[in-house]
Amino acid sequence: MSEWYEDRIGSAIDGSNPMVMAELEGGYAVFGDVQFLPGYCVLLPKRNVASLNDLNITERTYFLRDMSILGDAVLYACKAKRINYDILGNTDNFLHAHVFPRYLTEDPQRLKKPVWLYSPDYWSNSKYSYDPQKHDQLRGKITSYLNNNV
């Protein structure tokens, strides 16, 4: 039997992805596995496709709208300076949108650059991994915003 993270979209659809916070019209709002920028989230589509262009225009509209609503929720909950959005697909061959809070507490030079220029170990170092004790209050605020404003 495979683990939920081996098929993030399929596990969101079947209800076995524990990181899902809310089902929106255009996708699933998911709390990030890593939290070096606390509040980092991902939007997964309602069906497993490789890219945004594989969705029909109605699905695209809902997906992109919901990406921005997830950004509203992260901005509200995190009191961040801004939100960065990324849809890349270069590593993982499935559509997903990254929603990154950016903070004034970040190094000013780093704040001017994409999140991907953080050291690669930020994605694998266990000190940045999602920890319910450290992150569930923030996750709850994001979830509450989504549940009450969508």
Side-chain angles (χ1 to χ4, degrees):
M1 185 170 183
S2 64
E3 297 290 336
W4 66 267
Y5 51 81
E6 293 173 9
D7 180 3
R8 291 175 185 272
I9 296 170
S11 63
I13 292 167
D14 73 19
S16 64
N17 184 330
M19 303 307 284
V20 171
M21 297 179 291
E23 180 178 352
L24 307 173
E25 197 167 8
Y28 297 92
V30 177
F31 202 69
D33 296 2
V34 296
Q35 290 292 311
F36 62 88
L37 291 170
Y40 161 64
C41 292
V42 175
L43 183 67
L44 301 173
K46 290 275 187 111
R47 62 185 180 96
N48 198 340
V49 296
S51 76
L52 185 65
N53 304 90
D54 294 330
L55 298 177
N56 67 45
I57 195 67
T58 301
E59 291 170 316
R60 285 182 207 182
T61 301
Y62 290 144
F63 185 82
L64 292 171
R65 182 202 61 199
D66 288 349
M67 180 184 71
S68 72
I69 292 169
L70 179 55
D72 291 338
V74 171
L75 192 62
Y76 165 79
C78 298
K79 308 291 188 249
K81 174 179 173 55
R82 73 171 50 92
I83 300 296
N84 286 173
Y85 301 94
D86 272 322
I87 299 175
L88 300 169
N90 298 336
T91 303
D92 295 319
N93 190 28
F94 59 91
L95 175 60
H96 58 289
H98 300 273
V99 179
F100 291 105
R102 301 305 301 265
Y103 295 98
L104 290 173
T105 55
E106 292 177 74
D107 177 278
Q109 291 306 310
R110 184 171 300 235
L111 187 58
K112 294 178 184 179
K113 297 179 181 172
V115 169
W116 306 108
L117 295 180
Y118 271 87
S119 172
D121 71 310
Y122 278 65
W123 295 96
S124 58
N125 188 323
S126 62
K127 79 177 185 177
Y128 300 117
S129 294
Y130 166 70
D131 177 345
Q133 290 186 336
K134 289 188 340 193
H135 302 113
D136 271 0
Q137 183 176 5
L138 185 56
R139 178 180 174 166
K141 284 183 180 179
I142 295 168
T143 303
S144 178
Y145 182 97
L146 293 170
N147 290 333
N148 294 318
N149 293 286
V150 178

